[in-house]
Amino acid sequence: MAAQESGAGAAAGLVEQWRDILAVHARTMCELDRVLHRHGLGASDFEVLDVLAEGTAQDGTAGFRVQEIAAQVHLSQSALSRLVGRLEKDGLVERGMCSEDRRGVRVCLTPKGRALHGEVRPVQRAVLRRMLTPGAPVSPR
């Protein structure tokens, strides 16, 4: 009986921890969306620009395959394709065929996308610092 109660208490603790993680994620995403909106971006838009600007594709090239981006930004491939379409329409990224697999699509930053990323990166990082540093004030004021 005591073992069951102990197990139930541990499970309740895990559930509470999970809900705390979800709450931090939700608050952080909302704050990122609010702050990045001034720059014409959402949190997911910035994440794609950040992956393209800061990362290296698996094959070492400048562009990333859509599947590689999806694995890093945790969006479905269809949601990511729509997002990349919007970024392309805004002139921030370019899509092209993969030379090694003509069915694949490779995404690269444009100079405009690289410039916007450079402008917005400090803003995004400041929000992350404020929202995720233990003991830091959460209020954006």
Side-chain angles (χ1 to χ4, degrees):
M1 183 72 146
Q4 282 181 339
E5 288 175 11
S6 175
L14 289 174
V15 169
E16 184 177 335
Q17 184 180 3
W18 173 241
R19 290 184 179 148
D20 289 345
I21 290 167
L22 292 175
V24 168
H25 177 266
R27 283 192 308 268
T28 303
M29 289 297 284
C30 287
E31 181 64 7
L32 285 168
D33 280 334
R34 186 185 72 75
V35 170
L36 296 175
H37 181 75
R38 300 175 199 153
H39 301 275
L41 298 171
S44 294
D45 301 331
F46 181 82
E47 284 302 314
V48 170
L49 296 180
D50 203 41
V51 165
L52 294 171
E54 307 264 328
T56 303
Q58 290 175 354
D59 62 4
T61 61
F64 282 75
R65 293 175 63 111
V66 173
Q67 299 93 319
E68 292 176 303
I69 300 169
Q72 293 188 52
V73 298
H74 307 290
L75 293 173
S76 69
Q77 236 176 304
S78 62
L80 179 59
S81 291
R82 288 189 301 274
L83 189 151
V84 167
R86 286 192 313 272
L87 295 175
E88 184 178 38
K89 183 178 162 222
D90 292 341
L92 302 174
V93 301
E94 297 175 323
R95 287 189 277 195
M97 282 197 309
C98 294
S99 58
E100 65 280 0
D101 176 6
R102 293 179 134 331
R103 295 171 297 165
V105 174
R106 189 169 292 283
V107 181
C108 298
L109 275 179
T110 63
K112 180 180 176 183
R114 191 165 298 286
L116 182 60
H117 174 265
E119 174 187 328
V120 176
R121 184 180 183 272
V123 174
Q124 187 258 9
R125 298 303 198 262
V127 170
L128 293 182
R129 197 169 14 268
R130 186 173 70 245
M131 300 300 289
L132 301 176
T133 301
V138 174
S139 172
R141 287 19 148 200

